[in-house]
């Protein structure tokens, strides 16, 4: 792929957009979770996922949507994008930062560890040790088998994926 190839140009443009979006989100004091560009030539949609320690209001997301579009236009990065969607991450997105967990204390999490083990349990607390975060979980299930609600501390860096477990009644 040469520097004059359309694919090289698209990748460079995409990288510029994502870096600009990440800087914009961080400048607002929020956590940048993910950014994707999807769609065809004239209907490309930029999806941006942001989070905060506290729940984000719809008004704040709407305002960010407008401000981000204006920022991309000012930097001449909106040319191939027809729509911007700013959203908080859904339950299908794994927690990227330990700070995202604070608002989920008391909820049940499904966790996959980097060593391959899996567990389910209630999030009891989070402790910043200065080097890492310790996540305290009251484990109810380990590798698919029920256990007697043992409390365990996990280092956030050892978790490969963690999501809120939905309960259906």
């Amino acid at each position: 792929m040469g520097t004059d190839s359309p694919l090289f140009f698209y990748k460079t443009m995409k990288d510029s957009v994502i870096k600009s979006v990440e800087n914009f989100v961080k400048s607002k004091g929020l956590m940048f979770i993910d950014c994707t560009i999807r769609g065809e030539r004239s209907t490309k949609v930029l999806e941006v996922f942001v989070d905060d320690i506290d729940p984000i209001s719809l008004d704040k997301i709407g305002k960010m949507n407008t401000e981000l579009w204006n920022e991309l236009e000012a930097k001449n990065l909106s040319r191939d994008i027809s729509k911007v969607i700013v959203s908080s991450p859904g339950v299908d997105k794994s927690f990227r930062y330990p700070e995202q967990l604070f608002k989920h204390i008391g909820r049940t999490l499904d966790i996959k560890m980097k060593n391959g083990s899996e567990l389910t349990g209630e999030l009891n607390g989070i402790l910043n040790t200065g080097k890492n975060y310790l996540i305290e979980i009251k484990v109810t299930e380990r590798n698919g088998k029920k256990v007697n609600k043992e409390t365990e501390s996990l280092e956030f860096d050892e978790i490969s994926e963690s999501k809120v477990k939905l309960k259906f009644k």
Side-chain angles (χ1 to χ4, degrees), residues 10 13-22 24-25 32 34-40 43-49 64-65 68-73 77-87:
Y10 173 74
M13 185 275 304
K14 182 179 175 184
D15 291 346
S16 296
V17 168
I18 291 171
K19 190 66 182 161
S20 184
V21 168
E22 185 173 2
F24 172 82
V25 169
F32 174 78
D34 197 9
C35 178
T36 59
I37 299 173
R38 61 178 170 80
E40 299 300 318
T43 60
K44 285 202 185 324
V45 175
L46 173 67
E47 289 181 300
V48 179
F49 298 96
M64 279 190 65
N65 207 72
L68 179 56
W69 179 257
N70 292 339
E71 172 101 356
L72 293 173
E73 280 188 323
L77 294 171
S78 65
R79 180 171 39 133
D80 293 327
I81 299 169
S82 63
K83 186 177 185 180
V84 173
I85 300 172
V86 177
S87 176

mmCIF file of all heavy atoms in Angstrom, residues 10 13-22 24-25 32 34-40 43-49 64-65 68-73 77-87:
data_model
loop_
_atom_site.group_PDB
_atom_site.id
_atom_site.type_symbol
_atom_site.label_atom_id
_atom_site.label_comp_id
_atom_site.label_asym_id
_atom_site.label_seq_id
_atom_site.Cartn_x
_atom_site.Cartn_y
_atom_site.Cartn_z
ATOM 1 N N TYR A 10 -7.420 6.700 3.521
ATOM 2 C CA TYR A 10 -8.538 6.440 4.439
ATOM 3 C C TYR A 10 -8.028 6.119 5.842
ATOM 4 O O TYR A 10 -8.526 6.637 6.828
ATOM 5 C CB TYR A 10 -9.408 5.295 3.925
ATOM 6 C CG TYR A 10 -10.467 4.892 4.924
ATOM 7 C CD1 TYR A 10 -11.582 5.700 5.130
ATOM 8 C CD2 TYR A 10 -10.329 3.735 5.688
ATOM 9 C CE1 TYR A 10 -12.540 5.364 6.069
ATOM 10 C CE2 TYR A 10 -11.287 3.399 6.621
ATOM 11 C CZ TYR A 10 -12.388 4.210 6.811
ATOM 12 O OH TYR A 10 -13.326 3.882 7.748
ATOM 13 N N MET A 13 -6.726 9.275 7.484
ATOM 14 C CA MET A 13 -7.846 10.128 7.863
ATOM 15 C C MET A 13 -8.540 9.562 9.100
ATOM 16 O O MET A 13 -8.828 10.278 10.056
ATOM 17 C CB MET A 13 -8.835 10.247 6.701
ATOM 18 C CG MET A 13 -9.995 11.211 6.914
ATOM 19 S SD MET A 13 -11.479 10.591 7.773
ATOM 20 C CE MET A 13 -11.958 9.200 6.819
ATOM 21 N N LYS A 14 -8.762 8.248 9.105
ATOM 22 C CA LYS A 14 -9.431 7.589 10.223
ATOM 23 C C LYS A 14 -8.609 7.750 11.509
ATOM 24 O O LYS A 14 -9.151 8.087 12.559
ATOM 25 C CB LYS A 14 -9.651 6.111 9.910
ATOM 26 C CG LYS A 14 -10.379 5.353 10.987
ATOM 27 C CD LYS A 14 -10.577 3.902 10.591
ATOM 28 C CE LYS A 14 -11.197 3.123 11.718
ATOM 29 N NZ LYS A 14 -11.331 1.714 11.431
ATOM 30 N N ASP A 15 -7.309 7.537 11.433
ATOM 31 C CA ASP A 15 -6.430 7.702 12.598
ATOM 32 C C ASP A 15 -6.463 9.137 13.114
ATOM 33 O O ASP A 15 -6.482 9.369 14.320
ATOM 34 C CB ASP A 15 -4.992 7.299 12.261
ATOM 35 C CG ASP A 15 -4.830 5.797 12.026
ATOM 36 O OD1 ASP A 15 -5.752 5.020 12.382
ATOM 37 O OD2 ASP A 15 -3.783 5.404 11.479
ATOM 38 N N SER A 16 -6.494 10.105 12.193
ATOM 39 C CA SER A 16 -6.560 11.521 12.588
ATOM 40 C C SER A 16 -7.870 11.831 13.300
ATOM 41 O O SER A 16 -7.880 12.545 14.301
ATOM 42 C CB SER A 16 -6.430 12.431 11.361
ATOM 43 O OG SER A 16 -5.181 12.276 10.768
ATOM 44 N N VAL A 17 -8.965 11.295 12.779
ATOM 45 C CA VAL A 17 -10.277 11.512 13.396
ATOM 46 C C VAL A 17 -10.302 10.907 14.794
ATOM 47 O O VAL A 17 -10.703 11.565 15.762
ATOM 48 C CB VAL A 17 -11.416 10.920 12.529
ATOM 49 C CG1 VAL A 17 -12.730 10.883 13.291
ATOM 50 C CG2 VAL A 17 -11.571 11.712 11.239
ATOM 51 N N ILE A 18 -9.854 9.663 14.922
ATOM 52 C CA ILE A 18 -9.897 8.982 16.221
ATOM 53 C C ILE A 18 -9.026 9.711 17.241
ATOM 54 O O ILE A 18 -9.446 9.922 18.379
ATOM 55 C CB ILE A 18 -9.500 7.499 16.070
ATOM 56 C CG1 ILE A 18 -10.603 6.764 15.298
ATOM 57 C CG2 ILE A 18 -9.262 6.848 17.433
ATOM 58 C CD1 ILE A 18 -10.263 5.354 14.890
ATOM 59 N N LYS A 19 -7.834 10.137 16.850
ATOM 60 C CA LYS A 19 -6.941 10.864 17.777
ATOM 61 C C LYS A 19 -7.574 12.194 18.187
ATOM 62 O O LYS A 19 -7.535 12.582 19.356
ATOM 63 C CB LYS A 19 -5.572 11.086 17.119
ATOM 64 C CG LYS A 19 -4.546 11.594 18.076
ATOM 65 C CD LYS A 19 -4.258 10.521 19.109
ATOM 66 C CE LYS A 19 -3.258 10.994 20.122
ATOM 67 N NZ LYS A 19 -3.284 10.205 21.335
ATOM 68 N N SER A 20 -8.177 12.882 17.240
ATOM 69 C CA SER A 20 -8.834 14.158 17.528
ATOM 70 C C SER A 20 -10.008 13.953 18.487
ATOM 71 O O SER A 20 -10.197 14.725 19.431
ATOM 72 C CB SER A 20 -9.305 14.804 16.228
ATOM 73 O OG SER A 20 -9.845 16.066 16.469
ATOM 74 N N VAL A 21 -10.794 12.903 18.246
ATOM 75 C CA VAL A 21 -11.938 12.599 19.108
ATOM 76 C C VAL A 21 -11.454 12.259 20.519
ATOM 77 O O VAL A 21 -12.004 12.761 21.511
ATOM 78 C CB VAL A 21 -12.776 11.434 18.532
ATOM 79 C CG1 VAL A 21 -13.776 10.916 19.546
ATOM 80 C CG2 VAL A 21 -13.479 11.873 17.255
ATOM 81 N N GLU A 22 -10.423 11.438 20.614
ATOM 82 C CA GLU A 22 -9.893 11.063 21.933
ATOM 83 C C GLU A 22 -9.425 12.295 22.708
ATOM 84 O O GLU A 22 -9.736 12.450 23.893
ATOM 85 C CB GLU A 22 -8.750 10.066 21.768
ATOM 86 C CG GLU A 22 -8.224 9.541 23.077
ATOM 87 C CD GLU A 22 -7.197 8.431 22.912
ATOM 88 O OE1 GLU A 22 -6.838 8.073 21.773
ATOM 89 O OE2 GLU A 22 -6.749 7.920 23.955
ATOM 90 N N PHE A 24 -10.432 15.385 22.273
ATOM 91 C CA PHE A 24 -11.626 16.177 22.587
ATOM 92 C C PHE A 24 -12.319 15.634 23.838
ATOM 93 O O PHE A 24 -12.656 16.383 24.751
ATOM 94 C CB PHE A 24 -12.595 16.171 21.396
ATOM 95 C CG PHE A 24 -13.913 16.798 21.696
ATOM 96 C CD1 PHE A 24 -14.076 18.172 21.648
ATOM 97 C CD2 PHE A 24 -15.014 16.017 22.036
ATOM 98 C CE1 PHE A 24 -15.304 18.762 21.938
ATOM 99 C CE2 PHE A 24 -16.243 16.587 22.328
ATOM 100 C CZ PHE A 24 -16.379 17.970 22.277
ATOM 101 N N VAL A 25 -12.538 14.319 23.886
ATOM 102 C CA VAL A 25 -13.227 13.689 25.018
ATOM 103 C C VAL A 25 -12.448 13.918 26.313
ATOM 104 O O VAL A 25 -13.012 14.304 27.338
ATOM 105 C CB VAL A 25 -13.458 12.181 24.761
ATOM 106 C CG1 VAL A 25 -13.925 11.466 26.021
ATOM 107 C CG2 VAL A 25 -14.449 11.981 23.622
ATOM 108 N N PHE A 32 -12.447 8.301 27.456
ATOM 109 C CA PHE A 32 -12.638 7.860 26.080
ATOM 110 C C PHE A 32 -12.653 6.342 26.093
ATOM 111 O O PHE A 32 -11.676 5.698 26.463
ATOM 112 C CB PHE A 32 -11.495 8.382 25.205
ATOM 113 C CG PHE A 32 -11.522 7.862 23.800
ATOM 114 C CD1 PHE A 32 -12.404 8.390 22.878
ATOM 115 C CD2 PHE A 32 -10.666 6.847 23.397
ATOM 116 C CE1 PHE A 32 -12.430 7.913 21.568
ATOM 117 C CE2 PHE A 32 -10.682 6.359 22.099
ATOM 118 C CZ PHE A 32 -11.566 6.900 21.181
ATOM 119 N N ASP A 34 -14.260 4.215 23.321
ATOM 120 C CA ASP A 34 -14.080 3.632 21.996
ATOM 121 C C ASP A 34 -14.595 4.606 20.952
ATOM 122 O O ASP A 34 -15.375 5.517 21.259
ATOM 123 C CB ASP A 34 -14.854 2.310 21.905
ATOM 124 C CG ASP A 34 -14.420 1.434 20.741
ATOM 125 O OD1 ASP A 34 -13.401 1.746 20.088
ATOM 126 O OD2 ASP A 34 -15.103 0.428 20.486
ATOM 127 N N CYS A 35 -14.175 4.383 19.726
ATOM 128 C CA CYS A 35 -14.610 5.216 18.605
ATOM 129 C C CYS A 35 -14.585 4.336 17.365
ATOM 130 O O CYS A 35 -13.593 3.648 17.118
ATOM 131 C CB CYS A 35 -13.642 6.387 18.472
ATOM 132 S SG CYS A 35 -13.981 7.503 17.115
ATOM 133 N N THR A 36 -15.663 4.333 16.623
ATOM 134 C CA THR A 36 -15.708 3.552 15.388
ATOM 135 C C THR A 36 -16.293 4.394 14.264
ATOM 136 O O THR A 36 -17.103 5.287 14.509
ATOM 137 C CB THR A 36 -16.561 2.270 15.536
ATOM 138 O OG1 THR A 36 -17.892 2.644 15.900
ATOM 139 C CG2 THR A 36 -15.994 1.346 16.592
ATOM 140 N N ILE A 37 -15.863 4.074 13.055
ATOM 141 C CA ILE A 37 -16.437 4.695 11.865
ATOM 142 C C ILE A 37 -17.035 3.556 11.058
ATOM 143 O O ILE A 37 -16.349 2.587 10.742
ATOM 144 C CB ILE A 37 -15.379 5.452 11.048
ATOM 145 C CG1 ILE A 37 -14.760 6.571 11.892
ATOM 146 C CG2 ILE A 37 -15.998 6.014 9.772
ATOM 147 C CD1 ILE A 37 -13.592 7.272 11.225
ATOM 148 N N ARG A 38 -18.327 3.664 10.769
ATOM 149 C CA ARG A 38 -18.994 2.596 10.016
ATOM 150 C C ARG A 38 -19.825 3.219 8.908
ATOM 151 O O ARG A 38 -20.100 4.410 8.910
ATOM 152 C CB ARG A 38 -19.864 1.752 10.942
ATOM 153 C CG ARG A 38 -20.973 2.505 11.631
ATOM 154 C CD ARG A 38 -21.840 1.594 12.500
ATOM 155 N NE ARG A 38 -22.739 2.343 13.326
ATOM 156 C CZ ARG A 38 -23.891 2.867 12.922
ATOM 157 N NH1 ARG A 38 -24.290 2.715 11.686
ATOM 158 N NH2 ARG A 38 -24.663 3.544 13.755
ATOM 159 N N GLY A 39 -20.220 2.379 7.968
ATOM 160 C CA GLY A 39 -21.078 2.836 6.883
ATOM 161 C C GLY A 39 -20.334 2.922 5.560
ATOM 162 O O GLY A 39 -19.158 2.601 5.450
ATOM 163 N N GLU A 40 -21.050 3.356 4.554
ATOM 164 C CA GLU A 40 -20.519 3.482 3.197
ATOM 165 C C GLU A 40 -20.045 4.909 2.954
ATOM 166 O O GLU A 40 -20.199 5.778 3.796
ATOM 167 C CB GLU A 40 -21.619 3.099 2.190
ATOM 168 C CG GLU A 40 -22.110 1.662 2.345
ATOM 169 C CD GLU A 40 -21.003 0.632 2.155
ATOM 170 O OE1 GLU A 40 -20.181 0.802 1.225
ATOM 171 O OE2 GLU A 40 -20.954 -0.324 2.933
ATOM 172 N N THR A 43 -22.426 7.810 3.686
ATOM 173 C CA THR A 43 -23.209 7.662 4.919
ATOM 174 C C THR A 43 -22.352 7.169 6.080
ATOM 175 O O THR A 43 -22.807 6.384 6.895
ATOM 176 C CB THR A 43 -24.382 6.693 4.699
ATOM 177 O OG1 THR A 43 -23.853 5.417 4.314
ATOM 178 C CG2 THR A 43 -25.351 7.212 3.666
ATOM 179 N N LYS A 44 -21.119 7.627 6.171
ATOM 180 C CA LYS A 44 -20.244 7.212 7.266
ATOM 181 C C LYS A 44 -20.738 7.822 8.573
ATOM 182 O O LYS A 44 -21.048 9.004 8.645
ATOM 183 C CB LYS A 44 -18.814 7.644 7.007
ATOM 184 C CG LYS A 44 -18.129 6.792 5.956
ATOM 185 C CD LYS A 44 -16.644 6.877 6.110
ATOM 186 C CE LYS A 44 -15.876 6.173 5.058
ATOM 187 N NZ LYS A 44 -16.368 4.963 4.532
ATOM 188 N N VAL A 45 -20.809 6.971 9.593
ATOM 189 C CA VAL A 45 -21.252 7.390 10.927
ATOM 190 C C VAL A 45 -20.077 7.221 11.879
ATOM 191 O O VAL A 45 -19.451 6.164 11.921
ATOM 192 C CB VAL A 45 -22.458 6.551 11.400
ATOM 193 C CG1 VAL A 45 -22.851 6.902 12.820
ATOM 194 C CG2 VAL A 45 -23.638 6.734 10.451
ATOM 195 N N LEU A 46 -19.806 8.264 12.627
ATOM 196 C CA LEU A 46 -18.770 8.227 13.650
ATOM 197 C C LEU A 46 -19.462 7.987 14.983
ATOM 198 O O LEU A 46 -20.275 8.799 15.422
ATOM 199 C CB LEU A 46 -18.004 9.554 13.679
ATOM 200 C CG LEU A 46 -16.999 9.739 14.810
ATOM 201 C CD1 LEU A 46 -15.836 8.773 14.654
ATOM 202 C CD2 LEU A 46 -16.494 11.175 14.838
ATOM 203 N N GLU A 47 -19.181 6.832 15.617
ATOM 204 C CA GLU A 47 -19.747 6.510 16.924
ATOM 205 C C GLU A 47 -18.653 6.691 17.971
ATOM 206 O O GLU A 47 -17.565 6.131 17.835
ATOM 207 C CB GLU A 47 -20.240 5.068 16.973
ATOM 208 C CG GLU A 47 -21.471 4.823 16.146
ATOM 209 C CD GLU A 47 -21.930 3.379 16.264
ATOM 210 O OE1 GLU A 47 -21.146 2.473 15.917
ATOM 211 O OE2 GLU A 47 -23.073 3.167 16.710
ATOM 212 N N VAL A 48 -18.972 7.467 18.992
ATOM 213 C CA VAL A 48 -18.012 7.758 20.049
ATOM 214 C C VAL A 48 -18.632 7.340 21.378
ATOM 215 O O VAL A 48 -19.754 7.727 21.696
ATOM 216 C CB VAL A 48 -17.682 9.273 20.088
ATOM 217 C CG1 VAL A 48 -16.698 9.580 21.197
ATOM 218 C CG2 VAL A 48 -17.168 9.735 18.732
ATOM 219 N N PHE A 49 -17.893 6.530 22.133
ATOM 220 C CA PHE A 49 -18.370 6.064 23.431
ATOM 221 C C PHE A 49 -17.536 6.707 24.524
ATOM 222 O O PHE A 49 -16.301 6.606 24.497
ATOM 223 C CB PHE A 49 -18.305 4.534 23.509
ATOM 224 C CG PHE A 49 -19.184 3.875 22.486
ATOM 225 C CD1 PHE A 49 -18.660 3.449 21.276
ATOM 226 C CD2 PHE A 49 -20.532 3.703 22.730
ATOM 227 C CE1 PHE A 49 -19.475 2.851 20.324
ATOM 228 C CE2 PHE A 49 -21.353 3.110 21.784
ATOM 229 C CZ PHE A 49 -20.816 2.684 20.579
ATOM 230 N N MET A 64 -22.198 17.482 23.783
ATOM 231 C CA MET A 64 -20.921 16.972 23.286
ATOM 232 C C MET A 64 -21.009 16.595 21.812
ATOM 233 O O MET A 64 -20.057 16.796 21.058
ATOM 234 C CB MET A 64 -20.488 15.736 24.082
ATOM 235 C CG MET A 64 -19.835 16.047 25.385
ATOM 236 S SD MET A 64 -19.116 14.562 26.088
ATOM 237 C CE MET A 64 -17.864 14.176 24.900
ATOM 238 N N ASN A 65 -22.137 16.048 21.422
ATOM 239 C CA ASN A 65 -22.350 15.654 20.033
ATOM 240 C C ASN A 65 -22.158 16.867 19.116
ATOM 241 O O ASN A 65 -21.434 16.811 18.121
ATOM 242 C CB ASN A 65 -23.757 15.074 19.895
ATOM 243 C CG ASN A 65 -23.883 14.091 18.764
ATOM 244 O OD1 ASN A 65 -23.371 13.001 18.860
ATOM 245 N ND2 ASN A 65 -24.569 14.491 17.716
ATOM 246 N N LEU A 68 -18.493 18.227 19.298
ATOM 247 C CA LEU A 68 -17.553 17.351 18.595
ATOM 248 C C LEU A 68 -17.674 17.548 17.087
ATOM 249 O O LEU A 68 -16.667 17.632 16.380
ATOM 250 C CB LEU A 68 -17.786 15.887 18.971
ATOM 251 C CG LEU A 68 -16.883 14.881 18.271
ATOM 252 C CD1 LEU A 68 -15.410 15.189 18.498
ATOM 253 C CD2 LEU A 68 -17.207 13.468 18.737
ATOM 254 N N TRP A 69 -18.907 17.642 16.586
ATOM 255 C CA TRP A 69 -19.098 17.877 15.152
ATOM 256 C C TRP A 69 -18.426 19.186 14.738
ATOM 257 O O TRP A 69 -17.717 19.248 13.730
ATOM 258 C CB TRP A 69 -20.585 17.892 14.799
ATOM 259 C CG TRP A 69 -20.809 18.146 13.336
ATOM 260 C CD1 TRP A 69 -21.203 19.306 12.755
ATOM 261 C CD2 TRP A 69 -20.584 17.217 12.271
ATOM 262 N NE1 TRP A 69 -21.265 19.157 11.391
ATOM 263 C CE2 TRP A 69 -20.887 17.880 11.066
ATOM 264 C CE3 TRP A 69 -20.175 15.902 12.220
ATOM 265 C CZ2 TRP A 69 -20.786 17.271 9.819
ATOM 266 C CZ3 TRP A 69 -20.068 15.288 10.970
ATOM 267 C CH2 TRP A 69 -20.372 15.969 9.801
ATOM 268 N N ASN A 70 -18.625 20.245 15.543
ATOM 269 C CA ASN A 70 -18.008 21.544 15.246
ATOM 270 C C ASN A 70 -16.482 21.445 15.258
ATOM 271 O O ASN A 70 -15.805 22.045 14.425
ATOM 272 C CB ASN A 70 -18.488 22.610 16.231
ATOM 273 C CG ASN A 70 -19.959 22.934 16.050
ATOM 274 O OD1 ASN A 70 -20.537 22.686 14.994
ATOM 275 N ND2 ASN A 70 -20.574 23.463 17.089
ATOM 276 N N GLU A 71 -15.941 20.684 16.200
ATOM 277 C CA GLU A 71 -14.491 20.482 16.306
ATOM 278 C C GLU A 71 -13.959 19.769 15.061
ATOM 279 O O GLU A 71 -12.939 20.155 14.503
ATOM 280 C CB GLU A 71 -14.188 19.654 17.563
ATOM 281 C CG GLU A 71 -12.761 19.214 17.687
ATOM 282 C CD GLU A 71 -11.958 20.054 18.644
ATOM 283 O OE1 GLU A 71 -12.473 21.038 19.177
ATOM 284 O OE2 GLU A 71 -10.789 19.704 18.846
ATOM 285 N N LEU A 72 -14.655 18.720 14.617
ATOM 286 C CA LEU A 72 -14.218 17.984 13.434
ATOM 287 C C LEU A 72 -14.290 18.859 12.181
ATOM 288 O O LEU A 72 -13.398 18.805 11.324
ATOM 289 C CB LEU A 72 -15.050 16.711 13.251
ATOM 290 C CG LEU A 72 -14.854 15.635 14.319
ATOM 291 C CD1 LEU A 72 -15.855 14.505 14.126
ATOM 292 C CD2 LEU A 72 -13.423 15.112 14.331
ATOM 293 N N GLU A 73 -15.330 19.668 12.079
ATOM 294 C CA GLU A 73 -15.440 20.579 10.938
ATOM 295 C C GLU A 73 -14.320 21.608 10.953
ATOM 296 O O GLU A 73 -13.735 21.916 9.919
ATOM 297 C CB GLU A 73 -16.796 21.291 10.947
ATOM 298 C CG GLU A 73 -17.919 20.441 10.404
ATOM 299 C CD GLU A 73 -19.210 21.219 10.229
ATOM 300 O OE1 GLU A 73 -19.510 22.101 11.074
ATOM 301 O OE2 GLU A 73 -19.914 20.938 9.246
ATOM 302 N N LEU A 77 -11.970 17.535 9.364
ATOM 303 C CA LEU A 77 -11.981 16.076 9.453
ATOM 304 C C LEU A 77 -13.381 15.487 9.253
ATOM 305 O O LEU A 77 -13.558 14.286 9.345
ATOM 306 C CB LEU A 77 -11.442 15.634 10.823
ATOM 307 C CG LEU A 77 -9.976 15.934 11.089
ATOM 308 C CD1 LEU A 77 -9.630 15.639 12.545
ATOM 309 C CD2 LEU A 77 -9.081 15.143 10.151
ATOM 310 N N SER A 78 -14.360 16.338 8.967
ATOM 311 C CA SER A 78 -15.744 15.854 8.845
ATOM 312 C C SER A 78 -16.145 15.547 7.403
ATOM 313 O O SER A 78 -17.265 15.116 7.162
ATOM 314 C CB SER A 78 -16.702 16.894 9.429
ATOM 315 O OG SER A 78 -16.656 18.079 8.653
ATOM 316 N N ARG A 79 -15.240 15.714 6.479
ATOM 317 C CA ARG A 79 -15.557 15.604 5.052
ATOM 318 C C ARG A 79 -16.260 14.303 4.685
ATOM 319 O O ARG A 79 -17.229 14.305 3.951
ATOM 320 C CB ARG A 79 -14.274 15.761 4.247
ATOM 321 C CG ARG A 79 -14.472 15.672 2.767
ATOM 322 C CD ARG A 79 -13.229 16.052 2.034
ATOM 323 N NE ARG A 79 -12.040 15.547 2.717
ATOM 324 C CZ ARG A 79 -11.059 14.929 2.111
ATOM 325 N NH1 ARG A 79 -11.103 14.727 0.832
ATOM 326 N NH2 ARG A 79 -10.006 14.507 2.778
ATOM 327 N N ASP A 80 -15.789 13.169 5.184
ATOM 328 C CA ASP A 80 -16.375 11.885 4.806
ATOM 329 C C ASP A 80 -17.360 11.351 5.842
ATOM 330 O O ASP A 80 -17.816 10.219 5.729
ATOM 331 C CB ASP A 80 -15.269 10.845 4.590
ATOM 332 C CG ASP A 80 -14.410 11.177 3.379
ATOM 333 O OD1 ASP A 80 -14.970 11.734 2.416
ATOM 334 O OD2 ASP A 80 -13.206 10.887 3.405
ATOM 335 N N ILE A 81 -17.677 12.150 6.838
ATOM 336 C CA ILE A 81 -18.575 11.710 7.907
ATOM 337 C C ILE A 81 -19.915 12.419 7.752
ATOM 338 O O ILE A 81 -19.971 13.639 7.640
ATOM 339 C CB ILE A 81 -17.957 12.010 9.295
ATOM 340 C CG1 ILE A 81 -16.646 11.244 9.448
ATOM 341 C CG2 ILE A 81 -18.928 11.671 10.420
ATOM 342 C CD1 ILE A 81 -15.815 11.646 10.641
ATOM 343 N N SER A 82 -21.001 11.646 7.752
ATOM 344 C CA SER A 82 -22.317 12.262 7.589
ATOM 345 C C SER A 82 -23.024 12.463 8.918
ATOM 346 O O SER A 82 -23.954 13.259 9.009
ATOM 347 C CB SER A 82 -23.193 11.407 6.662
ATOM 348 O OG SER A 82 -23.416 10.138 7.238
ATOM 349 N N LYS A 83 -22.575 11.755 9.970
ATOM 350 C CA LYS A 83 -23.271 11.826 11.245
ATOM 351 C C LYS A 83 -22.321 11.454 12.376
ATOM 352 O O LYS A 83 -21.477 10.581 12.222
ATOM 353 C CB LYS A 83 -24.446 10.848 11.209
ATOM 354 C CG LYS A 83 -25.361 10.876 12.382
ATOM 355 C CD LYS A 83 -26.511 9.895 12.140
ATOM 356 C CE LYS A 83 -27.534 9.943 13.225
ATOM 357 N NZ LYS A 83 -28.624 9.003 12.982
ATOM 358 N N VAL A 84 -22.484 12.129 13.523
ATOM 359 C CA VAL A 84 -21.722 11.815 14.731
ATOM 360 C C VAL A 84 -22.710 11.382 15.804
ATOM 361 O O VAL A 84 -23.739 12.029 15.999
ATOM 362 C CB VAL A 84 -20.918 13.035 15.228
ATOM 363 C CG1 VAL A 84 -20.266 12.758 16.578
ATOM 364 C CG2 VAL A 84 -19.874 13.451 14.209
ATOM 365 N N ILE A 85 -22.392 10.285 16.473
ATOM 366 C CA ILE A 85 -23.229 9.807 17.581
ATOM 367 C C ILE A 85 -22.330 9.646 18.801
ATOM 368 O O ILE A 85 -21.404 8.833 18.791
ATOM 369 C CB ILE A 85 -23.900 8.455 17.252
ATOM 370 C CG1 ILE A 85 -24.793 8.573 16.034
ATOM 371 C CG2 ILE A 85 -24.670 7.944 18.465
ATOM 372 C CD1 ILE A 85 -25.331 7.245 15.528
ATOM 373 N N VAL A 86 -22.586 10.450 19.834
ATOM 374 C CA VAL A 86 -21.870 10.317 21.102
ATOM 375 C C VAL A 86 -22.798 9.575 22.047
ATOM 376 O O VAL A 86 -23.977 9.889 22.151
ATOM 377 C CB VAL A 86 -21.482 11.694 21.687
ATOM 378 C CG1 VAL A 86 -20.799 11.527 23.038
ATOM 379 C CG2 VAL A 86 -20.588 12.454 20.720
ATOM 380 N N SER A 87 -22.253 8.588 22.746
ATOM 381 C CA SER A 87 -23.073 7.759 23.623
ATOM 382 C C SER A 87 -22.229 7.258 24.784
ATOM 383 O O SER A 87 -21.006 7.205 24.707
ATOM 384 C CB SER A 87 -23.598 6.568 22.811
ATOM 385 O OG SER A 87 -24.331 5.686 23.612
#
